[in-house]
């Protein structure tokens, strides 16, 4: 375990030597509070009954009012629980006290939670924050989340989610860093540093959990949990890379993905868990299953029963069982009948105890009273950071005639139900925030502009209010229309077969357009949307994602010009859904799409994305010149000049790409290799240099052999994956 002292390693071994087989298996068991009492069917069945209408929501609520939660106190006392998903600090201490003071060996519990983009101070969803291309910011927000959650006793984040994703029909694109493995890898490293590296006090760091290992973002048809099949060179050169980067950065835990990869579910995939992760990458921490995933191996059809699933999982390298109790109910028998060796058990438990030791849980298992109250009122530095992250995540997609920014005395009709909703600014997977800390777009706009009138008019669901539209028509110089998706329309189990604006929002925008007033479309969404119609007709489009607690201030400050938008796209936006999956780093094919018929094109849609990876506008303009590429020893010295040609200061994201023009496997037409944020005053020119190590210019083949092949390369530099300068260079390694 990276970072354990020899003394700590010895403590782990001593503890292991005292443990009974039951206690060892207990450490491998993660529980969630179970809902019990008040009904005579399993809780999951009760949920199904409400979902399919067999009982109403009111009946469900009535039943639940008689239910209680089982926190597995008895099992904790017996040493049969290693981890729990609980976030209330009082309850954490209660349960920890049982483990530490009443169980035989007093091994502390590790409390885990989905802290994906903030705990109390919720910042933008990952797909948005990755688009800042600001790794310093990504690290700072993670450190803030670590401090806030540790003060509530949560020492383990089921984050960062690192799934490369190219198909926006998949709802979980919202949770990860987009389509590119280089940006994903830099995001991963920054998050690990932010979550794990501040050891100035145990309450300043947590254990990260890389998820979902691996390839989950390539689920067929963008349908969540669906099967994943891919050539291994695609896997090694794209989907595995962010995980490799995060392991190299010292990640402490990994969560296996629900999906199968080429026929073997990740949960029982020895090749992935042992050969690649633990052996080849040397990952020292522990692997946890996703929720219920071991049980689902029976449903996958890879295991006959729970015993079979448990034996396959633990032998494949799965150290901890999330939520099924299959390990605690079956592994003792499996060891006794020889299907699981004690060495396998000991290895898993050693990894788990080592992470607990690394977290300081043996010395500091409890949350102090002071810590519990520390973030009741968010410190200004936290709300400021949440706002900074929100502002930098906003992407200006279209700004016809320079309509934006708006003067502060502009008379604005603010339209859309989403504009006055606290819940919907937060984004998927946020669960520890407080309403009082949220700033809606309506509140932000009213505090920034002098004349704002609000007309709900409609939203992602339900009807359009014609009266509201007429009132909006009669008010103001411009209409700011806030449209998009509900938080529930992205994230887990939220795949959409049609990723245009849901509900009657397009109709609503059309009616607003008919007023003849300029319409500024502000999008609140968790995935790339198919915006062909909007791009054709709406003069201004601002991608504002789900930005967290400071969304309202961030949007208003960008619309007013107090902030010059600098966000870029971490994922390509399609023109129409039918293009999915669509991404910039694609192979060229032998007949790249063009106007000619016999090429890789659609009869009824453009081939290219509507807005490409790395794209985003500013209130100023940046021009590129003088790209030079020189060999300097074991690297290429790349230099480009960037000029702020407008009349406003700004921050540009300078992107560097390469293409291996001819290789033993077809390579992408472009691959991001690096990027740099650069501040430029109006009229200023700067030379930006990037050193590309030759060793990083290679690729893996299907057998995971790394190739650096002589030949012609193209080096690109620009402000998006589509608009770049290019220089060719011939290399021999
Ligand atoms: C969910 C998700 C995973 C999450 C886990 C615990 O099903 O797939 O991302 O961390 O369960 O909530």
């Amino acid at each position: 375990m990276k970072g354990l002292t020899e003394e700590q390693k010895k403590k782990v071994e001593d503890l292991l030597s005292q443990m009974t087989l039951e206690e060892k298996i207990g450490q491998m068991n993660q529980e969630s509070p179970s809902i019990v009492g008040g009904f005579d069917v399993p809780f999951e069945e009760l949920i199904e009954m409400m979902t399919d209408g067999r009982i109403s929501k009111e009946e469900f609520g009535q039943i639940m009012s008689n239910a209680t939660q089982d926190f597995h106190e008895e099992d904790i006392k017996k040493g049969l629980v290693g981890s729990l998903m609980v976030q209330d600090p009082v309850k954490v201490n209660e349960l920890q006290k049982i483990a530490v003071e009443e169980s035989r060996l007093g091994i502390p519990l590790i409390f885990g939670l989905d802290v994906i983009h903030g705990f109390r101070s919720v910042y933008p969803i990952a797909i948005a924050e990755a688009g800042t291309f600001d790794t310093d910011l990504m690290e700072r927000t993670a450190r803030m989340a670590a401090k806030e959650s540790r003060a509530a006793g949560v020492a383990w984040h089921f984050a960062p989610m690192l799934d490369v994703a190219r198909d926006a029909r998949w709802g979980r694109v919202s949770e990860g860093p987009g389509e590119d493995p280089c940006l994903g890898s830099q995001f991963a490293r920054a998050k690990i540093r932010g979550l794990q590296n501040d050891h100035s006090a145990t309450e300043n760091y947590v254990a990260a959990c890389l998820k979902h290992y691996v390839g989950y973002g390539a689920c067929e048809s963008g349908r969540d949990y669906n099967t994943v099949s891919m050539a291994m060179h695609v896997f090694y050169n794209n989907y595995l890379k962010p995980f490799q980067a995060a392991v190299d950065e010292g990640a402490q835990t990994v969560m296996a993905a629900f999906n199968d990869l080429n026929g073997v579910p990740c949960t029982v995939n020895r090749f992935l868990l042992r050969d690649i992760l633990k052996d080849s990458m040397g990952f020292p921490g522990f692997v946890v299953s996703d929720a219920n995933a071991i049980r689902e191996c029976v449903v996958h059809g890879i295991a006959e029963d729970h015993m079979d699933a448990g034996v396959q999982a633990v032998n494949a390298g799965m150290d901890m069982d999330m939520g099924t109790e299959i390990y605690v109910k079956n592994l003792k028998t499996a060891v006794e009948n020889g299907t699981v060796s004690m060495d396998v058990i000991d290895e898993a438990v050693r990894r788990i105890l080592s992470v607990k030791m690394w977290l300081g849980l043996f010395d500091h298992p409890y949350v102090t009273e002071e810590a519990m109250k520390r973030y009741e009122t968010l410190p200004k530095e936290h709300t400021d950071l949440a706002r900074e992250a929100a502002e930098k995540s906003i992407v200006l997609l279209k700004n016809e005639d320079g309509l934006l920014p708006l003067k502060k005395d502009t008379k604005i009709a603010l339209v859309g139900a989403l504009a006055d909703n606290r819940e919907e600014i937060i984004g998927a997977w946020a669960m520890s925030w407080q309403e009082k800390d949220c700033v809606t777009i309506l509140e932000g706009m009213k505090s920034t502009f002098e004349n704002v009138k609000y007309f709900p008019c409609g939203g992602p669901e339900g009807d359009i209010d014609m009266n509201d539209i007429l009132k909006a028509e009669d008010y103001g110089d411009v209409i700011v229309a806030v449209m998009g998706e509900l938080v529930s329309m992205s994230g887990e189990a939220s795949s959409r077969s049609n990723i245009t604006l849901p509900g009657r929002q397009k109709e609503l925008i059309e009616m607003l357009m008919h007023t003849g007033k300029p319409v500024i479309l502000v999008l609140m969404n968790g995935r790339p949307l198919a915006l062909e119609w909007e791009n054709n007709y709406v003069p201004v489009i601002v991608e504002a994602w789900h930005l967290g607690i400071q969304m309202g201030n961030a949007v208003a400050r960008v619309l007013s010009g107090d902030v010059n938008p600098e966000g870029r796209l971490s994922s390509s936006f399609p023109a129409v859904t039918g293009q999915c999956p669509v991404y910039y780093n694609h192979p060229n094919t032998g007949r790249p799409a063009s106007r000619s018929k016999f090429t890789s094109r659609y009869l009824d849609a453009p081939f290219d994305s509507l807005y490409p990876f790395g794209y985003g506008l500013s209130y100023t303009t940046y021009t590129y010149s003088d790209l030079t590429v020189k060999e300097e020893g074991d690297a290429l010295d790349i230099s480009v000049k960037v000029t702020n040609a407008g009349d406003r200061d700004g921050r540009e994201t300078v992107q560097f790409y390469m293409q291996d023009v001819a290789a033993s496997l077809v390579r992408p037409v472009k691959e991001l290799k690096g990027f740099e944020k650069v501040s430029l005053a109006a009229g200023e020119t700067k030379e930006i240099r990037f050193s590309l190590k030759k060793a990083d210019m290679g690729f893996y083949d299907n057998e995971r052999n790394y190739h650096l092949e002589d030949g012609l390369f193209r080096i690109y530099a620009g402000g998006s994956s589509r608009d770049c300068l290019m220089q060719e260079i011939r290399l021999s390694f």
Side-chain angles (χ1 to χ4, degrees):
M1 166 59 62
K2 277 181 189 169
L4 281 197
T5 63
E6 287 312 309
E7 185 196 352
Q8 286 177 319
K9 287 176 185 170
K10 186 177 177 315
K11 276 185 184 172
V12 167
E13 293 308 321
D14 290 348
L15 200 45
L16 198 57
S17 65
Q18 300 170 53
M19 295 170 77
T20 65
L21 176 55
E22 288 84 346
E23 288 166 336
K24 289 179 180 176
I25 297 168
Q27 287 300 308
M28 301 164 72
N29 178 39
Q30 187 199 58
E31 294 281 12
S32 292
S34 315
I35 312 289
V36 292
F39 43 90
D40 53 11
V41 293
F43 180 62
E44 289 73 16
E45 172 67 18
L46 201 66
I47 294 281
E48 290 290 327
M49 288 166 71
M50 180 183 65
T51 309
D52 61 24
R54 280 178 281 163
I55 58 171
S56 70
K57 283 187 178 165
E58 291 69 30
E59 287 169 316
F60 177 80
Q62 184 54 40
I63 294 168
M64 290 307 294
S65 63
N66 303 323
T68 58
Q69 282 194 312
D70 169 8
F71 287 89
H72 308 281
E73 289 88 341
E74 283 312 307
D75 286 343
I76 293 171
K77 192 180 292 185
K78 293 175 194 159
L80 300 182
V81 180
S83 171
L84 273 152
M85 273 196 255
V86 168
Q87 60 174 304
D88 169 61
V90 173
K91 180 55 78 176
V92 163
N93 275 352
E94 246 175 64
L95 299 170
Q96 192 69 292
K97 192 169 166 52
I98 297 171
V100 171
E101 299 174 24
E102 297 180 36
S103 76
R104 188 177 76 88
L105 291 169
I107 299 171
L109 298 162
I110 180 171
F111 291 90
L113 197 72
D114 290 290
V115 186
I116 314 292
H117 53 108
F119 188 73
R120 291 240 183 287
S121 306
V122 177
Y123 54 85
I125 55 175
I127 190 173
E129 192 189 24
T132 66
F133 284 76
D134 185 336
T135 52
D136 171 65
L137 174 71
M138 296 170 197
E139 182 173 336
R140 287 185 287 128
T141 51
R143 185 161 295 116
M144 172 171 71
K147 286 181 177 174
E148 290 186 1
S149 75
R150 196 81 194 251
V154 174
W156 182 24
H157 288 191
F158 303 140
M161 190 269 217
L162 300 178
D163 298 315
V164 168
R166 299 165 157 177
D167 191 330
R169 292 172 294 179
W170 189 48
R172 304 199 78 166
V173 292
S174 65
E175 301 171 46
E179 69 191 44
D180 180 78
C182 172
L183 177 58
S185 299
Q186 300 269 20
F187 174 89
R189 289 181 177 276
K191 288 302 178 190
I192 299 308
R193 290 193 299 269
L195 290 175
Q196 297 194 162
N197 287 10
D198 180 355
H199 283 230
S200 54
T202 48
E203 56 194 14
N204 291 345
Y205 70 100
V206 297
C209 184
L210 313 180
K211 70 183 189 182
H212 304 78
Y213 184 75
V214 57
Y216 187 20
C219 50
E220 194 171 281
S221 316
R223 220 157 17 90
D224 206 356
Y225 317 119
N226 204 359
T227 185
V228 173
S229 299
M230 72 173 78
M232 291 310 282
H233 72 94
V234 173
F235 171 68
Y236 294 131
N237 292 309
N238 295 282
Y239 295 87
L240 188 63
K241 280 202 164 172
F243 289 90
Q244 175 72 66
V247 168
D248 293 347
E249 200 68 37
Q252 293 289 315
T253 74
V254 167
M255 181 186 292
F258 286 120
N259 55 280
D260 73 278
L261 178 64
N262 298 332
V264 181
C266 298
T267 304
V268 295
N269 196 315
R270 172 188 287 269
F271 171 68
L272 294 177
L273 300 181
R274 286 196 184 283
D275 300 351
I276 290 196
L277 181 66
K278 292 181 175 180
D279 297 348
S280 172
M281 290 188 189
F283 170 66
F286 71 81
V287 181
V288 64
S289 74
D290 204 334
N292 206 36
I294 295 178
R295 181 182 294 125
E296 290 167 13
C297 287
V298 177
V299 184
H300 269 289
I302 202 86
E304 273 197 20
D305 54 30
H306 292 171
M307 166 67 84
D308 184 11
V311 166
Q312 286 194 50
V314 75
N315 283 333
M318 179 64 69
D319 303 308
M320 187 181 280
D321 164 15
M322 180 186 281
T324 75
E325 298 186 346
I326 284 175
Y327 277 11
V328 282
K329 290 176 180 165
N330 293 280
L331 288 190
K332 182 169 185 291
T333 306
V335 169
E336 287 160 353
N337 69 25
T339 50
V340 172
S341 74
M342 185 58 88
D343 287 350
V344 163
I345 299 293
D346 284 348
E347 182 225 339
V349 178
R350 180 176 294 112
R351 288 171 179 267
I352 293 166
L353 293 179
S354 298
V355 173
K356 291 184 175 183
M357 187 69 75
W358 178 85
L359 280 166
L361 287 173
F362 286 92
D363 299 329
H364 306 281
Y366 302 116
V367 188
T368 64
E369 287 298 320
E370 182 279 326
M372 286 186 197
K373 297 184 171 48
R374 191 175 303 153
Y375 298 107
E376 276 306 309
T377 302
L378 293 183
K380 185 177 181 303
E381 61 172 318
H382 285 208
T383 48
D384 286 352
L385 179 54
R387 196 190 74 197
E388 177 193 350
E391 289 167 353
K392 290 180 175 176
S393 300
I394 293 174
V395 186
L396 181 58
L397 296 177
K398 185 180 177 188
N399 188 19
E400 211 165 80
D401 308 330
L403 259 173
L404 286 183
L406 299 173
K407 290 186 173 35
K408 290 194 177 165
D409 62 357
T410 309
K411 287 182 72 175
I412 298 168
L414 180 66
V415 165
L418 289 174
D420 184 27
N421 186 312
R422 278 169 211 294
E423 309 252 331
E424 297 303 332
I425 63 177
I426 289 297
W429 284 111
M431 52 187 85
S432 316
W433 50 280
Q434 302 178 73
E435 286 228 359
K436 65 183 174 70
D437 297 324
C438 296
V439 180
T440 65
I441 291 181
L442 174 58
E443 289 161 340
M445 293 294 282
K446 280 189 173 291
S447 65
T448 305
F449 292 92
E450 296 161 22
N451 306 297
V452 176
K453 259 190 183 295
Y454 176 57
F455 309 92
C457 292
E461 288 176 325
D463 266 342
I464 296 175
D465 182 329
M466 290 311 295
N467 292 329
D468 258 353
I469 291 176
L470 295 172
K471 282 183 235 163
E473 180 176 349
D474 289 344
Y475 183 83
D477 312 317
V478 297
I479 294 172
V480 173
V482 180
M483 305 284 149
E485 293 176 314
L486 298 175
V487 168
S488 60
M489 295 173 175
S490 64
E492 184 171 0
S494 307
S495 296
R496 292 178 62 209
S497 68
N498 170 359
I499 56 172
T500 55
L501 279 172
R504 300 183 60 189
Q505 296 179 105
K506 181 183 162 221
E507 250 180 282
L508 173 48
I509 298 170
E510 274 179 313
M511 290 177 195
L512 296 172
M513 298 289 293
H514 285 316
T515 65
K517 289 185 183 148
V519 173
I520 290 155
L521 176 59
V522 175
L523 294 170
M524 280 178 60
N525 46 298
R527 60 156 54 79
L529 297 173
L531 296 173
E532 184 173 55
W533 180 85
E534 291 79 2
N535 184 59
N536 287 340
Y537 297 102
V538 182
V540 179
I541 303 174
V542 178
E543 177 52 74
W545 304 109
H546 294 131
L547 294 175
I549 58 172
Q550 281 287 318
M551 176 148 201
N553 287 330
V555 167
R557 283 163 54 81
V558 164
L559 295 189
S560 70
D562 288 344
V563 169
N564 187 356
E566 62 175 83
R568 297 290 179 269
L569 294 182
S570 58
S571 280
S572 305
F573 276 47
V576 296
T577 304
Q579 289 179 286
C580 292
V582 62
Y583 50 99
Y584 87 94
N585 46 353
H586 56 78
N588 205 22
T589 77
R591 296 192 176 189
S594 72
R595 293 179 188 286
S596 315
K597 178 165 177 56
F598 298 98
T599 62
S600 180
R601 60 193 283 270
Y602 296 103
L603 293 179
D604 57 355
F607 162 74
D608 270 333
S609 58
L610 179 62
Y611 305 121
F613 174 82
Y615 169 82
L617 299 176
S618 165
Y619 291 147
T620 186
T621 48
Y622 303 104
T623 57
Y624 286 75
S625 61
D626 302 309
L627 172 63
T628 62
V629 180
K630 289 199 297 289
E631 281 194 71
E632 290 287 340
D634 65 350
L636 295 187
D637 179 14
I638 304 166
S639 161
V640 70
K641 283 184 182 161
V642 191
T643 299
N644 178 342
D647 55 8
R648 283 188 56 116
D649 299 353
R651 261 196 354 153
E652 166 67 322
T653 303
V654 182
Q655 301 155 48
F656 296 95
Y657 297 85
M658 66 162 261
Q659 179 190 14
D660 186 343
V661 176
S664 55
L665 286 175
V666 294
R667 301 295 304 134
V669 294
K670 275 197 188 89
E671 298 173 61
L672 182 72
K673 301 308 281 186
F675 50 85
E676 183 173 332
K677 301 285 291 196
V678 58
S679 297
L680 288 165
E684 185 180 12
T685 295
K686 280 183 181 171
E687 180 185 13
I688 309 300
R689 303 177 75 110
F690 174 59
S691 176
L692 174 57
K693 293 194 185 73
K694 290 179 180 176
D696 292 343
M697 297 177 73
F699 61 93
Y700 290 98
D701 63 19
N702 288 310
E703 289 69 45
R704 206 170 177 226
N705 304 307
Y706 192 66
H707 293 248
L708 274 172
E709 298 176 354
D710 298 358
L712 182 65
F713 289 81
R714 290 188 182 119
I715 303 299
Y716 297 87
S720 86
S721 58
R722 187 170 290 166
D723 306 316
C724 298
L725 300 177
M726 187 276 285
Q727 286 288 333
E728 289 190 343
I729 184 166
R730 186 167 292 282
L731 295 174
S732 53
F733 297 98

